[in-house]
Amino acid sequence: MTTRNDHSMVAKVDIASFEIEVLKSAKPVLVNFSMKGCAPCERIAPFLEEIATELAGKVKIVKLDIVENPELAAQYGVRWAPGLAIFKGGEVADIAAPKTELRSWISQMIQTAKETR
C-alpha cells in the first residue's frame, strides 16, 4: 500500500507497493528506510520533503518502515534507521548509511588529530 499525507511529497511504501513504486519506477527513487520513534529519522524528514519538492518530477522519495517491513530491510542490508538508498531501473545504485559515514568521519578526524600533534 502506498500512502501520502495531503501535504507530504514523500509517500509511504510497504512490501505490497515496493515493487511498483520503487523497482518499476521510471525515475530514480530515494528510499528512506525509517521507523517510528526514531529521532534521527524524524530529523531528516523535513529535508527529504524539501528535496522531494525541489526535485519533483526528477526523483521520487518514499519512506519504508523497517519494523513493519523487515524482509525488505534485510533484503537490502539495512540494519538501522535511517538508511537511505537510491534505486535506478529497479536496482540499488547507492546506499548511504549514516552510521557508517559517521564512523568514517570520526576515524578521519581522529587520524587528522594524530597527524597535527
Side-chain angles (χ1 to χ4, degrees):
M1 178 174 82
T2 304
T3 59
R4 186 185 315 264
N5 294 339
D6 290 336
H7 63 280
S8 178
M9 293 290 294
V10 176
K12 183 177 177 184
V13 297
D14 60 17
I15 194 158
S17 61
F18 192 82
E19 182 176 357
I20 298 220
E21 295 294 326
V22 177
L23 302 179
K24 292 186 175 178
S25 177
K27 56 186 154 188
V29 181
L30 171 72
V31 178
N32 175 14
F33 290 92
S34 184
M35 61 189 236
K36 292 175 188 149
C38 166
C41 300
E42 292 180 20
R43 282 195 297 271
I44 68 166
F47 301 115
L48 294 177
E49 285 287 345
E50 286 178 28
I51 292 167
T53 300
E54 291 168 11
L55 298 177
K58 296 178 183 171
V59 67
K60 183 190 314 185
I61 300 179
V62 299
K63 177 177 166 181
L64 178 97
D65 188 302
I66 64 172
V67 174
E68 295 172 2
N69 302 277
E71 50 282 290
L72 284 173
Q75 181 177 344
Y76 293 103
V78 176
R79 296 183 195 138
W80 54 82
L84 302 172
I86 299 261
F87 287 77
K88 291 182 185 175
E91 299 289 326
V92 175
D94 198 13
I95 294 180
K99 183 178 177 182
T100 304
E101 291 173 13
L102 181 58
R103 182 179 294 124
S104 174
W105 177 74
I106 291 169
S107 295
Q108 288 174 353
M109 292 303 105
I110 291 170
Q111 186 61 34
T112 302
K114 287 179 183 176
E115 292 171 359
T116 58
R117 285 192 212 176

